[in-house]
Coordinates of all heavy atoms in Angstrom, one line a residue:
M1 N 61.3 79.2 155.4 CA 60.7 78.2 154.6 C 61.7 77.0 154.6 O 62.9 77.2 154.6 CB 60.5 78.7 153.2 CG 59.5 79.8 153.0 SD 58.6 79.4 151.6 CE 57.5 80.7 151.6
S2 N 61.2 75.9 154.5 CA 62.0 74.7 154.5 C 62.2 74.2 153.0 O 61.6 74.7 152.1 CB 61.4 73.6 155.3 OG 60.2 73.2 154.7
F3 N 63.1 73.3 152.9 CA 63.3 72.7 151.6 C 62.1 72.0 151.0 O 61.9 72.1 149.8 CB 64.5 71.7 151.7 CG 64.8 71.0 150.4 CD1 65.4 71.7 149.4 CD2 64.4 69.7 150.2 CE1 65.7 71.0 148.2 CE2 64.6 69.1 149.0 CZ 65.3 69.7 148.0
A4 N 61.3 71.5 151.9 CA 60.0 70.8 151.5 C 59.1 71.8 150.8 O 58.3 71.3 150.0 CB 59.4 70.1 152.7
D5 N 59.2 73.0 151.2 CA 58.3 74.0 150.5 C 58.6 74.3 149.1 O 57.8 74.7 148.3 CB 58.3 75.3 151.3 CG 57.7 75.2 152.7 OD1 56.9 74.3 152.8 OD2 58.1 76.0 153.5
H6 N 59.9 74.0 148.7 CA 60.3 74.2 147.3 C 60.7 73.0 146.5 O 61.4 73.0 145.6 CB 61.6 75.1 147.4 CG 61.3 76.5 148.0 ND1 60.6 77.5 147.4 CD2 61.6 77.0 149.2 CE1 60.5 78.5 148.2 NE2 61.1 78.2 149.3
V7 N 60.2 71.8 146.9 CA 60.5 70.6 146.3 C 60.1 70.6 144.8 O 60.8 70.1 144.0 CB 59.9 69.4 147.1 CG1 60.1 68.1 146.3 CG2 60.6 69.3 148.4
D8 N 58.9 71.1 144.6 CA 58.4 71.0 143.2 C 59.0 72.1 142.3 O 58.7 72.1 141.1 CB 56.9 71.1 143.2 CG 56.4 72.4 143.8 OD1 57.2 73.2 144.3 OD2 55.2 72.6 143.8
G9 N 59.9 72.9 142.8 CA 60.6 73.9 142.0 C 59.9 75.2 141.8 O 60.4 76.1 141.2
R10 N 58.7 75.3 142.3 CA 57.9 76.6 142.1 C 58.2 77.5 143.3 O 58.5 77.1 144.4 CB 56.4 76.3 142.1 CG 56.0 75.5 140.9 CD 54.5 75.4 140.8 NE 54.1 74.7 142.0 CZ 52.8 74.3 142.3 NH1 51.9 74.6 141.4 NH2 52.5 73.7 143.4
A11 N 58.2 78.8 143.0 CA 58.4 79.8 144.0 C 57.2 79.9 144.8 O 56.0 79.6 144.3 CB 58.8 81.1 143.4
P12 N 57.3 80.3 146.1 CA 56.1 80.5 146.9 C 55.2 81.6 146.3 O 55.7 82.6 145.8 CB 56.6 80.9 148.3 CG 58.0 81.3 148.1 CD 58.5 80.6 146.8
R13 N 53.9 81.5 146.4 CA 53.0 82.4 145.8 C 52.9 83.6 146.7 O 52.6 83.5 147.9 CB 51.7 81.7 145.7 CG 50.7 82.5 144.8 CD 49.5 81.6 144.6 NE 48.6 82.3 143.7 CZ 47.5 81.9 143.3 NH1 47.1 80.7 143.6 NH2 46.7 82.6 142.5
A14 N 53.1 84.8 146.1 CA 52.9 86.0 146.8 C 51.5 86.4 146.9 O 50.7 86.3 146.0 CB 53.7 87.1 146.1
T15 N 51.1 86.9 148.1 CA 49.7 87.4 148.3 C 49.6 88.8 147.9 O 50.6 89.6 148.1 CB 49.3 87.2 149.8 OG1 50.2 87.9 150.6 CG2 49.4 85.7 150.2
R16 N 48.5 89.2 147.5 CA 48.3 90.6 147.1 C 47.2 91.1 148.0 O 46.2 90.4 148.2 CB 47.9 90.7 145.6 CG 49.0 90.3 144.7 CD 48.7 90.6 143.3 NE 49.8 90.3 142.5 CZ 49.8 89.4 141.5 NH1 48.7 88.8 141.2 NH2 50.9 89.2 140.8
P17 N 47.3 92.4 148.4 CA 46.3 93.0 149.3 C 45.1 93.4 148.5 O 44.8 94.6 148.5 CB 47.0 94.1 150.0 CG 48.1 94.5 149.0 CD 48.5 93.3 148.2
V18 N 44.3 92.5 147.9 CA 43.2 92.9 147.0 C 42.1 93.6 147.9 O 41.5 94.5 147.4 CB 42.7 91.6 146.3 CG1 41.4 92.0 145.5 CG2 43.7 91.0 145.5
A19 N 41.9 93.1 149.1 CA 40.8 93.7 149.9 C 41.2 95.2 150.2 O 40.4 96.1 150.2 CB 40.7 92.9 151.2
T20 N 42.5 95.4 150.5 CA 43.0 96.8 150.7 C 42.8 97.7 149.5 O 42.3 98.8 149.6 CB 44.5 96.8 151.1 OG1 44.6 95.9 152.3 CG2 45.0 98.1 151.4
W21 N 43.1 97.2 148.3 CA 43.0 97.9 147.1 C 41.5 98.2 146.9 O 41.1 99.3 146.4 CB 43.5 97.2 145.9 CG 45.0 97.0 146.0 CD1 45.9 97.6 146.8 CD2 45.8 96.0 145.2 NE1 47.2 97.2 146.5 CE2 47.1 96.1 145.6 CE3 45.4 95.0 144.3 CZ2 48.1 95.3 145.1 CZ3 46.4 94.2 143.8 CH2 47.7 94.4 144.2
T22 N 40.6 97.3 147.1 CA 39.2 97.4 146.9 C 38.7 98.5 147.8 O 37.9 99.4 147.4 CB 38.5 96.1 147.1 OG1 39.0 95.1 146.3 CG2 37.0 96.3 146.9
L23 N 39.1 98.5 149.1 CA 38.6 99.5 150.0 C 39.2 100.9 149.7 O 38.5 101.9 149.9 CB 39.0 99.1 151.5 CG 38.2 97.9 152.0 CD1 38.8 97.4 153.3 CD2 36.7 98.3 152.2
M24 N 40.4 101.0 149.2 CA 40.9 102.2 148.8 C 40.1 102.8 147.6 O 39.9 104.0 147.5 CB 42.4 102.1 148.4 CG 43.3 101.8 149.7 SD 45.0 101.4 149.3 CE 45.6 103.0 148.8
L25 N 39.8 101.9 146.7 CA 39.0 102.3 145.5 C 37.5 102.8 146.0 O 37.0 103.8 145.5 CB 38.8 101.2 144.5 CG 38.0 101.5 143.3 CD1 38.6 102.6 142.4 CD2 37.8 100.3 142.4
L26 N 37.0 102.1 146.9 CA 35.7 102.5 147.5 C 35.8 103.9 148.1 O 34.8 104.7 148.0 CB 35.2 101.5 148.5 CG 34.5 100.2 147.9 CD1 34.2 99.2 149.0 CD2 33.3 100.6 147.1
A27 N 36.9 104.2 148.8 CA 37.1 105.5 149.4 C 37.1 106.6 148.3 O 36.5 107.6 148.5 CB 38.4 105.5 150.2
V28 N 37.7 106.3 147.2 CA 37.8 107.3 146.1 C 36.3 107.5 145.6 O 35.9 108.7 145.3 CB 38.7 106.8 145.0 CG1 38.5 107.7 143.7 CG2 40.1 106.8 145.4
I29 N 35.6 106.4 145.4 CA 34.2 106.6 144.9 C 33.4 107.4 145.9 O 32.6 108.3 145.5 CB 33.6 105.2 144.7 CG1 34.3 104.5 143.5 CG2 32.1 105.3 144.4 CD1 34.0 103.1 143.3
V30 N 33.5 107.1 147.2 CA 32.8 107.9 148.2 C 33.1 109.4 148.1 O 32.3 110.3 148.2 CB 33.0 107.3 149.6 CG1 32.4 108.2 150.7 CG2 32.3 105.9 149.7
V31 N 34.4 109.7 148.0 CA 34.9 111.1 147.9 C 34.3 111.7 146.7 O 33.9 112.9 146.7 CB 36.4 111.2 148.0 CG1 36.9 112.5 147.6 CG2 36.9 110.8 149.4
L32 N 34.2 111.0 145.6 CA 33.6 111.6 144.4 C 32.1 111.9 144.5 O 31.6 112.7 143.8 CB 33.9 110.7 143.2 CG 35.4 110.7 142.7 CD1 35.6 109.6 141.6 CD2 35.9 112.0 142.3
L33 N 31.5 111.1 145.4 CA 30.1 111.3 145.6 C 29.7 112.4 146.6 O 28.6 112.8 146.8 CB 29.4 110.0 146.0 CG 29.4 108.9 145.0 CD1 28.8 107.6 145.6 CD2 28.6 109.3 143.8
L34 N 30.8 112.9 147.3 CA 30.5 113.9 148.4 C 30.1 115.3 147.9 O 29.3 115.9 148.5 CB 31.8 114.0 149.3 CG 31.9 112.9 150.3 CD1 33.2 113.0 151.1 CD2 30.8 112.7 151.2
P35 N 30.7 115.8 146.8 CA 30.3 117.1 146.4 C 28.9 117.2 145.9 O 28.3 116.2 145.5 CB 31.3 117.4 145.2 CG 32.4 116.5 145.4 CD 31.9 115.3 146.1
D36 N 28.3 118.4 146.0 CA 26.9 118.6 145.6 C 26.9 118.8 144.1 O 26.9 120.0 143.6 CB 26.3 119.7 146.4 CG 24.8 119.9 146.1 OD1 24.2 119.0 145.5 OD2 24.3 121.0 146.4
W37 N 26.9 117.8 143.3 CA 27.0 117.9 141.8 C 25.7 118.5 141.2 O 25.8 119.1 140.2 CB 27.3 116.5 141.2 CG 28.6 115.9 141.6 CD1 28.8 114.9 142.4 CD2 29.9 116.4 141.3 NE1 30.1 114.6 142.6 CE2 30.9 115.5 141.9 CE3 30.4 117.4 140.4 CZ2 32.2 115.7 141.8 CZ3 31.8 117.6 140.3 CH2 32.7 116.7 140.9
A38 N 24.6 118.2 141.9 CA 23.3 118.7 141.4 C 23.1 120.2 141.7 O 22.2 120.8 141.1 CB 22.2 117.9 141.9
G39 N 23.9 120.7 142.6 CA 23.7 122.1 143.0 C 22.5 122.4 143.9 O 22.0 123.5 143.8
S40 N 22.0 121.4 144.6 CA 20.8 121.6 145.4 C 21.1 122.4 146.6 O 20.1 123.0 147.2 CB 20.3 120.2 145.8 OG 21.2 119.6 146.7
G41 N 22.3 122.5 147.1 CA 22.6 123.4 148.2 C 22.4 122.6 149.6 O 22.6 123.2 150.6
T42 N 21.9 121.4 149.5 CA 21.7 120.6 150.7 C 23.1 120.0 151.2 O 23.7 119.3 150.5 CB 20.8 119.4 150.4 OG1 19.6 119.9 149.8 CG2 20.4 118.7 151.7
P43 N 23.4 120.4 152.4 CA 24.7 119.9 152.9 C 24.7 118.5 153.3 O 23.6 117.9 153.6 CB 25.0 120.8 154.2 CG 23.7 121.2 154.6 CD 22.8 121.3 153.4
R44 N 25.8 117.8 153.1 CA 25.9 116.4 153.5 C 26.0 116.3 155.0 O 26.6 117.2 155.6 CB 27.2 115.7 152.9 CG 27.2 115.8 151.4 CD 26.3 114.7 150.8 NE 26.5 114.6 149.3 CZ 25.7 115.2 148.4 NH1 24.7 115.9 148.8 NH2 25.9 115.0 147.1
P45 N 25.6 115.2 155.6 CA 25.8 115.1 157.0 C 27.3 115.0 157.3 O 28.0 114.4 156.5 CB 25.1 113.7 157.4 CG 24.2 113.5 156.2 CD 24.8 114.2 155.0
I46 N 27.7 115.5 158.5 CA 29.1 115.5 158.8 C 29.7 114.1 158.9 O 30.9 113.9 158.6 CB 29.4 116.3 160.1 CG1 30.8 116.7 160.2 CG2 28.9 115.6 161.3 CD1 31.3 117.7 159.3
W47 N 28.9 113.1 159.3 CA 29.5 111.8 159.5 C 29.9 111.1 158.2 O 30.7 110.2 158.1 CB 28.5 110.9 160.2 CG 27.2 110.7 159.5 CD1 26.0 111.4 159.7 CD2 26.8 109.8 158.5 NE1 25.0 111.0 158.9 CE2 25.5 110.0 158.2 CE3 27.5 108.7 157.9 CZ2 24.8 109.2 157.2 CZ3 26.9 108.0 156.9 CH2 25.6 108.2 156.6
V48 N 29.3 111.6 157.0 CA 29.7 111.1 155.7 C 31.1 111.3 155.4 O 31.8 110.5 154.7 CB 28.8 111.7 154.6 CG1 29.2 111.2 153.3 CG2 27.3 111.3 154.9
F49 N 31.7 112.4 156.0 CA 33.1 112.6 155.7 C 34.0 111.7 156.4 O 35.2 111.6 156.1 CB 33.5 114.1 156.1 CG 32.8 115.1 155.2 CD1 31.6 115.6 155.5 CD2 33.4 115.5 154.0 CE1 31.0 116.5 154.6 CE2 32.8 116.4 153.1 CZ 31.6 116.9 153.4
A50 N 33.5 110.9 157.3 CA 34.3 109.9 158.1 C 34.4 108.6 157.3 O 35.3 107.8 157.6 CB 33.8 109.7 159.4
I51 N 33.5 108.4 156.3 CA 33.5 107.1 155.6 C 34.8 106.8 154.9 O 35.4 105.7 155.0 CB 32.3 107.1 154.6 CG1 31.0 107.0 155.4 CG2 32.4 105.8 153.7 CD1 29.8 107.1 154.6
P52 N 35.5 107.8 154.1 CA 36.7 107.5 153.5 C 37.8 107.1 154.5 O 38.7 106.2 154.2 CB 37.1 108.7 152.7 CG 35.8 109.4 152.5 CD 35.0 109.1 153.7
V53 N 37.8 107.8 155.6 CA 38.8 107.5 156.6 C 38.6 106.1 157.2 O 39.6 105.4 157.3 CB 38.7 108.6 157.8 CG1 39.7 108.2 158.9 CG2 39.0 110.0 157.2
L54 N 37.4 105.7 157.4 CA 37.1 104.4 158.0 C 37.4 103.3 156.9 O 38.0 102.3 157.3 CB 35.6 104.3 158.4 CG 35.3 105.1 159.6 CD1 33.8 105.1 159.8 CD2 36.0 104.7 160.8
L55 N 37.2 103.6 155.7 CA 37.5 102.6 154.6 C 39.1 102.5 154.5 O 39.6 101.4 154.4 CB 37.0 103.1 153.3 CG 35.5 102.9 153.1 CD1 35.0 103.6 151.8 CD2 35.0 101.5 153.2
G56 N 39.8 103.6 154.7 CA 41.2 103.5 154.6 C 41.8 102.7 155.8 O 42.7 101.9 155.7
L57 N 41.2 103.0 157.0 CA 41.7 102.2 158.2 C 41.4 100.8 158.1 O 42.1 99.9 158.5 CB 41.1 102.9 159.4 CG 41.7 104.3 159.8 CD1 40.9 104.9 160.9 CD2 43.2 104.3 160.0
T58 N 40.2 100.4 157.6 CA 39.8 99.0 157.4 C 40.7 98.4 156.4 O 41.1 97.2 156.6 CB 38.3 98.9 157.0 OG1 37.5 99.7 157.9 CG2 37.9 97.5 156.9
G59 N 41.1 99.0 155.3 CA 42.0 98.5 154.4 C 43.4 98.3 155.0 O 44.0 97.3 154.7
A60 N 43.8 99.1 155.9 CA 45.0 99.0 156.6 C 45.0 97.7 157.5 O 46.0 97.0 157.6 CB 45.3 100.2 157.5
V61 N 43.9 97.5 158.1 CA 43.8 96.3 159.0 C 43.9 95.0 158.1 O 44.6 94.1 158.5 CB 42.4 96.2 159.7 CG1 42.2 94.9 160.4 CG2 42.4 97.4 160.7
F62 N 43.3 95.0 156.9 CA 43.4 93.8 156.0 C 44.8 93.7 155.5 O 45.3 92.6 155.4 CB 42.4 94.0 154.9 CG 41.0 93.6 155.2 CD1 40.0 94.5 155.2 CD2 40.7 92.2 155.5 CE1 38.7 94.2 155.5 CE2 39.4 91.9 155.8 CZ 38.4 92.8 155.8
A63 N 45.5 94.8 155.2 CA 46.9 94.7 154.8 C 47.8 94.2 155.8 O 48.7 93.4 155.6 CB 47.3 96.1 154.3
L64 N 47.6 94.6 157.1 CA 48.4 94.1 158.2 C 48.2 92.6 158.4 O 49.1 91.9 158.7 CB 48.1 94.9 159.5 CG 48.7 96.3 159.5 CD1 48.3 97.0 160.8 CD2 50.2 96.2 159.4
K65 N 46.9 92.2 158.2 CA 46.6 90.8 158.4 C 47.3 90.0 157.3 O 47.8 88.8 157.6 CB 45.1 90.6 158.3 CG 44.6 89.2 158.6 CD 43.1 89.0 158.4 CE 43.0 88.7 156.9 NZ 41.8 88.1 156.5
D66 N 47.5 90.5 156.1 CA 48.2 89.8 155.0 C 49.7 90.1 155.1 O 50.4 89.8 154.1 CB 47.6 90.2 153.7 CG 46.2 89.7 153.5 OD1 45.8 88.8 154.2 OD2 45.5 90.3 152.6
K67 N 50.1 90.8 156.1 CA 51.6 91.1 156.2 C 52.1 92.0 155.1 O 53.2 91.7 154.5 CB 52.4 89.8 156.3 CG 52.0 89.0 157.6 CD 52.9 87.7 157.6 CE 52.6 86.9 158.9 NZ 51.3 86.2 158.9
H68 N 51.4 93.1 154.9 CA 51.8 94.1 153.9 C 51.8 95.4 154.7 O 50.9 96.3 154.5 CB 50.8 94.2 152.8 CG 50.8 93.0 151.9 ND1 51.8 92.7 151.0 CD2 49.9 92.0 151.8 CE1 51.6 91.6 150.3 NE2 50.4 91.2 150.8
P69 N 52.9 95.7 155.4 CA 52.9 96.9 156.3 C 52.9 98.2 155.4 O 52.3 99.2 155.9 CB 54.2 96.8 157.1 CG 55.1 95.8 156.4 CD 54.1 94.9 155.6
W70 N 53.6 98.2 154.3 CA 53.6 99.4 153.5 C 52.2 99.8 152.9 O 51.8 100.9 152.8 CB 54.7 99.4 152.4 CG 56.0 99.4 153.0 CD1 56.9 98.4 153.0 CD2 56.7 100.5 153.6 NE1 58.1 98.8 153.7 CE2 58.0 100.1 154.0 CE3 56.3 101.8 153.8 CZ2 58.8 100.9 154.6 CZ3 57.2 102.7 154.4 CH2 58.5 102.2 154.8
W71 N 51.5 98.7 152.5 CA 50.1 98.9 152.0 C 49.2 99.4 153.1 O 48.3 100.1 152.9 CB 49.6 97.7 151.3 CG 50.0 97.6 149.9 CD1 50.9 96.7 149.3 CD2 49.7 98.5 148.8 NE1 51.1 97.0 148.0 CE2 50.3 98.0 147.7 CE3 48.8 99.6 148.7 CZ2 50.1 98.7 146.4 CZ3 48.7 100.2 147.5 CH2 49.3 99.7 146.4
A72 N 49.5 98.9 154.3 CA 48.7 99.3 155.5 C 48.9 100.8 155.7 O 47.9 101.5 156.0 CB 49.1 98.5 156.7
A73 N 50.2 101.2 155.7 CA 50.4 102.7 155.9 C 49.8 103.5 154.8 O 49.2 104.5 155.0 CB 51.9 102.9 156.0
A74 N 49.9 103.1 153.5 CA 49.3 103.8 152.4 C 47.8 103.9 152.5 O 47.2 104.9 152.3 CB 49.7 103.1 151.1
S75 N 47.2 102.8 152.9 CA 45.7 102.7 153.0 C 45.2 103.6 154.1 O 44.2 104.3 154.0 CB 45.3 101.3 153.2 OG 43.8 101.3 153.3
A76 N 45.9 103.6 155.3 CA 45.5 104.4 156.4 C 45.6 105.9 156.1 O 44.7 106.7 156.4 CB 46.4 104.1 157.6
L77 N 46.7 106.3 155.4 CA 46.8 107.7 155.0 C 45.9 108.1 153.9 O 45.5 109.2 153.7 CB 48.3 108.0 154.6 CG 49.3 107.9 155.7 CD1 50.7 108.1 155.1 CD2 49.0 109.0 156.7
W78 N 45.5 107.1 153.0 CA 44.7 107.4 151.9 C 43.4 108.1 152.2 O 43.0 109.0 151.5 CB 44.4 106.1 151.1 CG 43.8 106.2 149.8 CD1 42.5 105.7 149.5 CD2 44.3 106.8 148.6 NE1 42.2 105.9 148.2 CE2 43.3 106.6 147.6 CE3 45.4 107.4 148.3 CZ2 43.4 107.1 146.3 CZ3 45.6 107.9 147.0 CH2 44.6 107.7 146.1
G79 N 42.7 107.6 153.2 CA 41.4 108.2 153.5 C 41.5 109.6 154.0 O 40.7 110.5 153.7
F80 N 42.5 109.9 154.8 CA 42.8 111.3 155.3 C 43.2 112.2 154.1 O 42.7 113.3 154.0 CB 43.9 111.3 156.4 CG 43.5 110.6 157.6 CD1 43.9 109.3 157.9 CD2 42.6 111.2 158.5 CE1 43.5 108.7 159.1 CE2 42.2 110.6 159.7 CZ 42.7 109.4 160.0
I81 N 44.0 111.7 153.2 CA 44.5 112.5 152.1 C 43.4 112.8 151.2 O 43.3 113.9 150.6 CB 45.7 111.8 151.4 CG1 46.9 111.8 152.4 CG2 46.0 112.4 150.1 CD1 48.1 111.0 151.9
L82 N 42.5 111.9 150.9 CA 41.4 112.1 150.0 C 40.5 113.2 150.4 O 40.1 114.0 149.6 CB 40.6 110.8 149.8 CG 41.2 109.7 148.9 CD1 40.3 108.5 149.0 CD2 41.4 110.2 147.5
I83 N 40.2 113.3 151.7 CA 39.4 114.4 152.2 C 40.1 115.7 152.0 O 39.4 116.7 151.6 CB 39.0 114.1 153.7 CG1 38.2 112.9 153.9 CG2 38.4 115.3 154.3 CD1 36.8 113.0 153.2
Q84 N 41.4 115.8 152.3 CA 42.1 117.0 152.1 C 42.1 117.4 150.6 O 42.0 118.6 150.3 CB 43.5 116.9 152.6 CG 43.6 116.6 154.1 CD 42.8 117.6 154.9 OE1 42.9 118.8 154.7 NE2 42.0 117.1 155.8
I85 N 42.3 116.5 149.7 CA 42.3 116.8 148.3 C 40.9 117.3 147.9 O 40.8 118.2 147.1 CB 42.7 115.5 147.5 CG1 44.1 115.2 147.7 CG2 42.4 115.7 146.0 CD1 44.6 113.8 147.1
L86 N 39.9 116.7 148.4 CA 38.5 117.2 148.1 C 38.3 118.6 148.6 O 37.8 119.4 147.8 CB 37.5 116.3 148.8 CG 36.0 116.7 148.7 CD1 35.6 116.6 147.2 CD2 35.1 115.9 149.6
V87 N 38.8 118.9 149.8 CA 38.6 120.3 150.3 C 39.4 121.3 149.5 O 38.8 122.3 149.1 CB 39.1 120.3 151.8 CG1 39.2 121.8 152.3 CG2 38.1 119.5 152.7
V88 N 40.6 121.0 149.1 CA 41.4 121.9 148.3 C 40.8 122.1 146.9 O 40.7 123.2 146.4 CB 42.9 121.4 148.3 CG1 43.7 122.2 147.2 CG2 43.5 121.5 149.6
T89 N 40.4 121.0 146.3 CA 39.8 121.0 145.0 C 38.5 121.9 145.0 O 38.4 122.7 144.1 CB 39.5 119.6 144.5 OG1 40.7 118.9 144.5 CG2 38.9 119.7 143.1
I90 N 37.7 121.7 145.9 CA 36.4 122.4 146.0 C 36.7 123.9 146.2 O 36.1 124.8 145.6 CB 35.5 121.9 147.1 CG1 35.0 120.5 146.8 CG2 34.3 122.8 147.3 CD1 34.2 120.3 145.5
T91 N 37.7 124.2 147.1 CA 38.1 125.6 147.3 C 38.6 126.2 146.1 O 38.3 127.4 145.8 CB 39.1 125.6 148.5 OG1 38.5 125.1 149.6 CG2 39.5 127.1 148.8
L92 N 39.5 125.5 145.3 CA 40.0 126.1 144.1 C 39.0 126.3 143.0 O 39.1 127.3 142.3 CB 41.2 125.2 143.6 CG 42.5 125.2 144.5 CD1 43.5 124.2 143.9 CD2 43.1 126.6 144.5
L93 N 38.1 125.4 142.9 CA 37.1 125.5 141.9 C 36.0 126.5 142.2 O 35.6 127.3 141.3 CB 36.4 124.1 141.6 CG 37.3 123.1 141.0 CD1 36.5 121.8 140.9 CD2 37.8 123.5 139.7
S94 N 35.5 126.6 143.4 CA 34.4 127.5 143.8 C 34.9 128.8 144.4 O 34.1 129.7 144.6 CB 33.4 126.8 144.7 OG 34.0 126.5 145.9
G95 N 36.1 128.9 144.8 CA 36.6 130.1 145.5 C 36.4 130.0 147.0 O 35.5 129.2 147.5
P96 N 37.1 130.8 147.7 CA 37.0 130.8 149.2 C 35.7 131.3 149.7 O 35.0 132.0 149.1 CB 38.2 131.6 149.7 CG 38.8 132.3 148.5 CD 38.2 131.7 147.2

């Protein structure tokens, strides 16, 4: 940054990865919708389990675009971790 960027005395405005946070929240919502809460016994299509992963990876792309590498890593792992948490939770609640 040059001196001209700070002439008015204000600090440069930090960007926040709002798109990444939104996609991470959407991944949580999708994971919460995956269990069969009604007890109908109808299995979900297998491709539905890829949605949280794709949302996490898309959030990582937005974070990298905004130059937030740590948020990119967190978002990319988030989708994978959410699926694992869902599997462990369902196994613990319903039994093996």
Side-chain angles (χ1 to χ4, degrees):
M1 296 223 181
S2 67
F3 177 73
D5 293 335
H6 298 286
V7 171
D8 59 0
R10 293 184 301 184
R13 192 171 182 178
T15 60
R16 295 190 175 119
V18 177
T20 301
W21 296 340
T22 304
L23 289 168
M24 290 171 75
L25 179 63
L26 281 173
V28 171
I29 292 169
V30 168
V31 166
L32 290 175
L33 293 175
L34 285 176
D36 184 15
W37 297 108
S40 67
T42 307
R44 302 282 190 260
I46 195 73
W47 60 267
V48 174
F49 290 92
I51 294 174
V53 175
L54 293 175
L55 288 171
L57 292 174
T58 306
V61 169
F62 280 112
L64 285 175
K65 189 184 88 164
D66 291 339
K67 296 181 176 73
H68 293 285
W70 291 107
W71 277 111
S75 181
L77 290 173
W78 186 245
F80 292 103
I81 290 171
L82 283 175
I83 294 295
Q84 298 308 314
I85 290 172
L86 175 68
V87 169
V88 168
T89 303
I90 296 297
T91 301
L92 291 174
L93 291 177
S94 65

